[in-house]
Amino acid sequence: SSAGERKEDEELEAPAAGESRGTKGAAGGWAWGVVFHFFLVNVLVMGTLKTFGIFFVAFREEVGGSSEQVSWIGSIMSSLRFLGAPLVAVVCRRLGERPTSILGAGLVAGGCLLSTQATSVPFLCFSMGFLLGMGFACLYQAAAVMTAKRCRARLAFSNALARSGMGLTFLMAPFTQLLIEFYGWQGTLLIFGGIMLNLVPSSMLLWPGSTRQPRRAAENQHLGSLMAKKDPETPGGCLDGSTHRELQSHSAQEAPTVEGLVMPHGRDVSGAANPCALGRLEKSTPDSSSLETPSKAKKSYKPLAATKKEPSQPLLDFSPLKDPVFFIFTWSFLFSHLAYFVPFFHLVARARTLGMSSRDGSYLIAVAGRQRRLLHPFPTEKQRQFGQEIVPAMSWDESPWQRFSPYPFLQTQSPPVHARVAPTCWVDLVGVEKLHSYLGFAAFFAGIAAMGGPPLAGWLYDYTQTYVCSFLFAGACALISPISFFFEPSAQKWKLKKANL
Amino acid sequence: LLLGASGASVKRNITLVKPTKVELSCKLHKNSNLKSPQVTWKKGNETISHTVKTENSWSVQLTILDSSMLGTYSCILKGKEEFSAVFHLHVPKIEAKEKPIITYIGDAAVMICSTHYPSMAWTWYMTNGTKQVAINDSLQADKYVINRKSANETRLRICKLTKEDGGVYWCEAAFELGISKGKLELKVLSISAPLKPFLAIVAEVTIFVTTIFLYELYSKKKEKSA
């Protein structure tokens, strides 16, 4: 059993009493600290990503560089959040969440401070894009996993509470604009670095758990983080991050691969299907099933110990690439991601070309951010798909300010709507067993799309000298993305035929 | 220029680069209530006499040779009500950043002025109190660099900024028909301006970190003794 204990030092470093009531109480009480930290991470990380559009304008004017080049900074920053997660998962296992989180906070603050000295776009690409991106990945991953570990009882609620932090990001846009007006972009970055440093004490709140039961589950979750090598962030999390639920379901998936128990864990995975759902009602059933996971995992503990060293098997499962259904989904996923980030980056710049001040542009971003959070309808699947088509249509016309305001409102309906479609569609299309490997690959492609989207749009601007094209491009991408769903029936037929052969 | 029955006065802006002949005309819309009004053409406040009248329009022909001939021309139609149309003749306007440019001491600043039409010459002025002092880049070559990127654009680069360099700058474009000015504001901040809030935040962070650290030590001690 010592092999099983492995190096979960974090769990053991808590006072020797281990399972004493005192520590359990402390561990329980500070679950809220973890939620608070995750909340703060959401606010700051998402806020910075979204307000990058304001920096975009400032960088273009003062540092120089074409639209495409400056877009690279933002895209590296946001895509590294996805792509860096596997690496962060490894680091988390080595160091533990708390040091990783502090490291992440340090990276982010350091990146901000370093950027104040920037004189050229490549420099900024590294300091602001790379450092901030990796820092965000560290922070987000550690916080998400810790939330899952700690808040066993009220996972849904704490998750929702933490993610509502994204709603507050609307405050950051006008605030950033104000800072830029007072201090210029260098002063703003300096102050941002300080604000990010606040994540260091809040990371220290990520106290490691100490009771045995969570430890076991925690081990499974670290397994899950290793599994997360191939699925950095889930799409279901409002495009914004991994979910602990995912990891839990992965650990549940480990068991099936060992014992061949597929059915009971289907429920867990369907829980993963709505990771971003804010309705507690929806989450209560997956919640209870996730609580079953540790007990089931305990039973399958011994076999798991044997397989722990070779999780590479399910990791390199390339079968999704042979599945046409995968292509269908990834296609739509890819294009909606491409479409998603562009508006945020170019919104302010476009507003400027239309004659609005930067201040108004930042309010637009704020509106976009706020609407996103406040909208939680759960329309039917078909409605969602069509909802997506309306949005890019709106993106075409932006001349007057009056028509511009509804645009971000509608635009923001699309990504979260699509994000909710994504998991349920997945489950329908591919079945629960293969869910995580599909999602893994899809998320990886999504990361690539997130990286390529804004620079592509920026290049379009440089080529055509107008931002209309980049918005049209985003709109076209969003329109293209649901097209693949129309091929779904024929793809299913093809699959059945193949299976029958 | 068509005038309808509306009471609002109509405006037109005309940009002139070179000396040209210009014809301004006011036409009356055929559905208008006004029938055979009395029309006067004015430059500023003076009446122009040599106007031409056709069936439904009144026009004046001008040869613009220098800046004195630029200005505001208006045609006033007097009937039961009075309508007027105003023409502004001016040199090309200069586009410059309206918001102040924020830089720091020791940094370099680049100020850009541009127009849509090629200018003959550009001059930069600095406001010293109430006077405008021309900036001579050959005199202070290490501090000021005036770079003329194209006929339409000029850039003034100021290196090694000091607090006194802050203020209002004027860029002046000389056209054949006159000069046009653009205003730019430069704000020079010292590093301490954003540094103060930054240090305040760092102090707050340190306080939090120490508090949490001490609390951890305390609770560990407590459990060890319990």
Side-chain angles (χ1 to χ4, degrees):
Chain A
S1 182
S2 59
E5 301 295 74
R6 277 213 293 136
K7 284 203 70 192
E8 299 304 320
D9 294 343
E10 272 65 58
E11 275 64 49
L12 297 170
E13 112 189 341
E19 290 147 291
S20 79
R21 301 271 300 268
T23 47
K24 194 163 187 183
W30 287 106
W32 293 112
V34 175
V35 174
F36 172 70
H37 168 72
F38 196 19
F39 177 82
L40 210 60
V41 165
N42 267 310
V43 172
L44 289 177
V45 169
M46 292 304 128
T48 315
L49 285 177
K50 287 190 189 160
T51 57
F52 181 74
I54 301 177
F55 282 109
F56 176 81
V57 177
F59 287 152
R60 265 207 85 197
E61 280 177 358
E62 307 204 19
V63 182
S66 65
S67 222
E68 180 202 347
Q69 288 173 334
V70 182
S71 294
W72 272 112
I73 304 174
S75 71
I76 290 178
M77 190 163 74
S78 55
S79 63
L80 266 186
R81 249 196 64 235
F82 289 102
L83 301 173
L87 186 67
V88 172
V90 173
V91 172
C92 256
R93 289 190 60 219
R94 287 283 171 78
L95 300 177
E97 278 91 20
R98 196 167 166 203
T100 312
S101 195
I102 296 182
L103 176 74
L107 275 176
V108 172
C112 279
L113 293 177
L114 194 61
S115 305
T116 57
Q117 304 301 316
T119 46
S120 66
V121 176
F123 188 109
L124 274 174
C125 270
F126 173 73
S127 71
M128 203 159 166
F130 181 77
L131 286 181
L132 252 68
M134 286 309 291
F136 286 155
C138 290
L139 281 170
Y140 212 93
Q141 187 91 344
V145 170
M146 261 327 245
T147 316
K149 276 196 208 175
R150 290 313 221 76
C151 315
R152 310 229 37 100
R154 301 226 197 107
L155 191 50
F157 178 60
S158 20
N159 188 34
L161 204 62
R163 283 188 194 272
S164 67
M166 288 193 229
L168 273 190
T169 57
F170 79 91
L171 280 177
M172 283 200 74
F175 175 66
T176 314
Q177 190 59 43
L178 196 72
L179 280 182
I180 289 193
E181 274 174 29
F182 268 114
Y183 297 120
W185 64 270
Q186 288 139 319
T188 313
L189 278 175
L190 187 67
I191 295 180
F192 260 46
I195 295 178
M196 298 299 171
L197 268 183
N198 271 312
L199 287 169
V200 170
S202 79
S203 307
M204 290 178 74
L205 287 174
L206 296 179
W207 274 307
S210 52
T211 55
R212 184 164 291 171
Q213 178 147 346
R215 202 189 323 150
R216 295 276 167 89
E219 276 179 305
N220 292 331
Q221 263 156 357
H222 274 295
L223 264 181
S225 349
L226 193 63
M227 304 281 282
K229 231 190 174 99
K230 270 302 178 181
D231 24 86
E233 316 278 325
T234 74
C238 301
L239 304 175
D240 283 330
S242 78
T243 56
H244 41 284
R245 306 219 57 98
E246 196 75 54
L247 300 174
Q248 279 180 309
S249 65
H250 297 163
S251 60
Q253 300 258 295
E254 269 286 52
T257 45
V258 175
E259 298 176 347
L261 285 173
V262 177
M263 284 324 291
H265 297 272
R267 256 191 313 146
D268 298 50
V269 182
S270 62
N274 301 327
C276 199
L278 290 184
R280 295 186 222 175
L281 218 52
E282 272 192 50
K283 291 277 266 192
S284 54
T285 25
D287 210 1
S288 53
S289 67
S290 74
L291 283 174
E292 288 173 58
T293 312
S295 49
K296 280 206 184 104
K298 266 208 276 192
K299 283 185 217 149
S300 54
Y301 186 67
K302 284 269 159 60
L304 268 175
T307 58
K308 237 173 280 200
K309 285 300 173 191
E310 44 116 45
S312 52
Q313 177 76 3
L315 272 184
L316 295 175
D317 177 17
F318 282 112
S319 66
L321 292 178
K322 296 187 209 132
D323 193 349
V325 176
F326 172 75
F327 279 114
I328 289 177
F329 198 84
T330 309
W331 168 279
S332 80
F333 201 52
L334 191 93
F335 279 102
S336 66
H337 259 82
L338 271 177
Y340 175 61
F341 285 107
V342 169
F344 277 115
F345 289 159
H346 293 189
L347 202 62
V348 181
R350 173 74 177 139
R352 281 273 281 261
T353 63
L354 291 174
M356 290 182 247
S357 70
S358 289
R359 187 72 78 95
D360 299 330
S362 71
Y363 283 135
L364 279 176
I365 292 189
V367 168
R370 182 175 45 214
Q371 294 309 336
R372 200 190 129 121
R373 251 1 249 181
L374 300 180
L375 281 175
H376 305 302
F378 286 84
T380 66
E381 207 170 290
K382 279 281 180 283
Q383 280 177 343
R384 290 167 190 160
Q385 285 178 8
F386 287 123
Q388 269 192 265
E389 318 218 359
I390 300 175
V391 161
M394 283 300 292
S395 77
W396 289 45
D397 90 271
E398 310 168 40
S399 339
W401 165 258
Q402 293 89 358
R403 290 198 280 174
F404 212 167
S405 295
Y407 160 66
F409 180 85
L410 281 170
Q411 183 263 337
T412 57
Q413 291 212 27
S414 165
V417 154
H418 187 263
R420 278 163 182 73
V421 172
T424 46
C425 280
W426 266 133
V427 177
D428 291 343
L429 289 176
V430 309
V432 297
E433 307 91 63
K434 299 224 148 182
L435 190 67
H436 77 90
S437 49
Y438 275 71
L439 278 169
F441 278 105
F444 184 72
F445 285 119
I448 296 178
M451 183 181 271
L456 194 60
W459 174 82
L460 273 173
Y461 170 78
D462 295 330
Y463 193 64
T464 59
Q465 280 307 303
T466 166
Y467 280 110
V468 178
C469 274
S470 41
F471 278 102
L472 286 178
F473 165 75
C477 282
L479 274 175
I480 291 176
S481 67
I483 289 179
S484 62
F485 278 112
F486 290 120
F487 292 110
E488 190 246 327
S490 33
Q492 293 283 32
K493 276 191 221 150
W494 186 84
K495 252 177 94 172
L496 279 174
K497 251 194 255 173
K498 213 174 150 207
N500 288 341
L501 281 175
Chain B
L1 189 66
L2 279 170
L3 279 177
S6 61
S9 74
V10 187
K11 277 191 189 168
R12 270 294 151 83
N13 277 331
I14 303 173
T15 306
L16 296 171
V17 187
K18 286 194 210 171
T20 44
K21 284 205 172 128
V22 170
E23 180 177 336
L24 308 168
S25 63
C26 284
K27 229 196 219 174
L28 202 56
H29 191 67
K30 53 184 181 194
N31 289 342
S32 164
N33 294 337
L34 231 47
K35 302 289 173 209
S36 51
Q38 195 189 29
V39 177
T40 25
W41 275 100
K42 282 192 181 175
K43 176 185 189 295
N45 277 330
E46 301 166 10
T47 318
I48 310 170
S49 45
H50 47 277
T51 57
V52 175
K53 181 185 187 304
T54 58
E55 186 178 313
N56 236 353
S57 73
W58 296 260
S59 53
V60 59
Q61 288 182 341
L62 305 161
T63 315
I64 313 287
L65 290 172
D66 57 44
S67 60
S68 64
M69 309 209 59
L70 295 169
T72 315
Y73 292 82
S74 46
C75 77
I76 305 162
L77 286 82
K78 270 199 208 123
K80 259 186 288 179
E81 297 150 9
E82 189 171 303
F83 296 113
S84 65
V86 179
F87 297 87
H88 291 287
L89 271 68
H90 56 80
V91 283
K93 292 232 164 89
I94 293 188
E95 283 157 14
K97 199 169 171 207
E98 289 143 20
K99 286 232 175 108
I101 301 173
I102 301 179
T103 44
Y104 289 89
I105 294 179
D107 233 351
V110 176
M111 295 194 273
I112 307 173
C113 278
S114 64
T115 63
H116 289 298
Y117 302 94
S119 151
M120 292 192 307
W122 289 96
T123 335
W124 284 92
Y125 292 96
M126 193 176 93
T127 336
N128 202 353
T130 47
K131 284 189 304 171
Q132 285 192 1
V133 177
I135 297 176
N136 193 341
D137 58 339
S138 42
L139 263 184
Q140 293 164 291
D142 57 338
K143 189 146 167 91
Y144 298 104
V145 177
I146 299 182
N147 187 7
R148 216 187 137 149
K149 272 228 148 177
S150 58
N152 296 7
E153 197 182 274
T154 181
R155 285 175 185 226
L156 172 67
R157 187 186 166 89
I158 313 180
C159 317
K160 290 180 270 194
L161 285 164
T162 62
K163 251 308 199 258
E164 294 85 36
D165 287 326
V168 178
Y169 285 77
W170 298 90
C171 62
E172 200 181 75
F175 297 100
E176 288 175 23
L177 288 174
I179 53 175
S180 173
K181 277 193 174 177
K183 182 177 165 187
L184 285 160
E185 194 183 336
L186 185 71
K187 268 198 196 162
V188 184
L189 300 174
S190 80
I191 290 287
S192 65
L195 203 62
K196 279 187 239 155
F198 175 71
L199 289 176
I201 297 177
V202 170
E204 167 236 340
V205 165
T206 332
I207 293 175
F208 275 130
V209 170
T210 345
T211 321
I212 297 180
F213 200 59
L214 287 175
Y215 176 76
E216 271 183 28
L217 280 176
Y218 170 71
S219 59
K220 274 193 190 154
K221 265 193 218 156
K222 209 169 130 192
E223 272 146 19
K224 280 215 175 100
S225 59

